[in-house]
Every structure is written in structure tokens, then in C-alpha cells.
Amino acid sequence: RSIEYVLELATEHWHEINTFGLQPVDLHRIMEVVLANSFFTFNGRLFQQTYGAFMGCAVSPPCAIITVYKLEKESVYTDQFCFTSPLRQLYIRYVDDSGGLAHNEEEAITNCRYIYLNEMSMAGSGGR
């Protein structure tokens, strides 16, 4: 989904970005190649990253930040549940980490599940 989110945001701001003549389809293909061919070494052994991007990969931070931005945009700041829950009292983000306020562990788990399930339903429906 990171590719989808990056392309959505890039297309939205395409006129503001120096694309060096690339089109969105080119960006999509480049990201597919990079994410499908991510290799790293650990303890002298070579591994292929099979899901997402590995730490240190140049596309990892922007993809993580854009994914959290998309999550916030589509659920935290627009959903009535979030405005009536303790999240409205405190929701913070630093780069690609986020946090919120809950009265107890059960409420925190409920909030996280709600946001996660909302994110999964957006992915299944192609977004809102």
C-alpha cells in the first residue's frame, strides 16, 4: 500500500514537484523495483526483504511518513469515532510514530483496533 499512498500524494502535488520528466507510471515502476529488490546483510549473510522496505533504504522514511499521514487524513482527523474518543483530547505524531490518550488499556486497544480496521477497509475499497 505504500506505493499507492505515495503515488496518490505525488499525483495530488505533481505540479509542485520537480519530477525530472518522470510521469506517475514511472514513479510507480521505480518503487515496485526498489521494494521488490531490497536486499541487506546481517552477520555477514545476505537477506532479501520480502515485505516493505528495510531500515536504511532511502524510500523507507518517506513511505512510512506518507502512510501515517494517509491514516491520519482518512481516520483520525475525519472520523466521528475519533472526535468522540479520548483521541480528540490528545493525538500526537513524530515523523512516522503516533500516540494518543486513553483512559485505560481496554480503551487504548479499542482505539487502535478501530483505526486499524478503518485502514484495512480503506485498503479493500481502494480508499474513500
Side-chain angles (χ1 to χ4, degrees), residues 58-78:
V59 300
S60 294
C63 286
I65 292 167
I66 290 170
T67 299
V68 172
Y69 165 77
K70 175 76 171 172
L71 173 69
E72 289 175 345
K73 182 179 174 188
E74 298 292 333
S75 66
V76 175
Y77 293 126
T78 61

Side-chain angles (χ1 to χ4, degrees), residues 81-103:
F81 171 82
C82 294
F83 287 122
T84 59
S85 76
L87 280 175
R88 69 176 168 74
Q89 297 172 13
L90 175 67
Y91 175 81
I92 55 174
R93 173 166 61 107
Y94 177 75
V95 189
D96 65 341
D97 294 319
S98 60
L101 181 65
H103 290 110

Side-chain angles (χ1 to χ4, degrees), residues 38-49:
S38 296
F39 295 87
F40 63 95
T41 58
F42 178 75
N43 283 342
R45 294 181 56 201
L46 182 65
F47 294 89
Q48 181 176 14
Q49 182 79 23

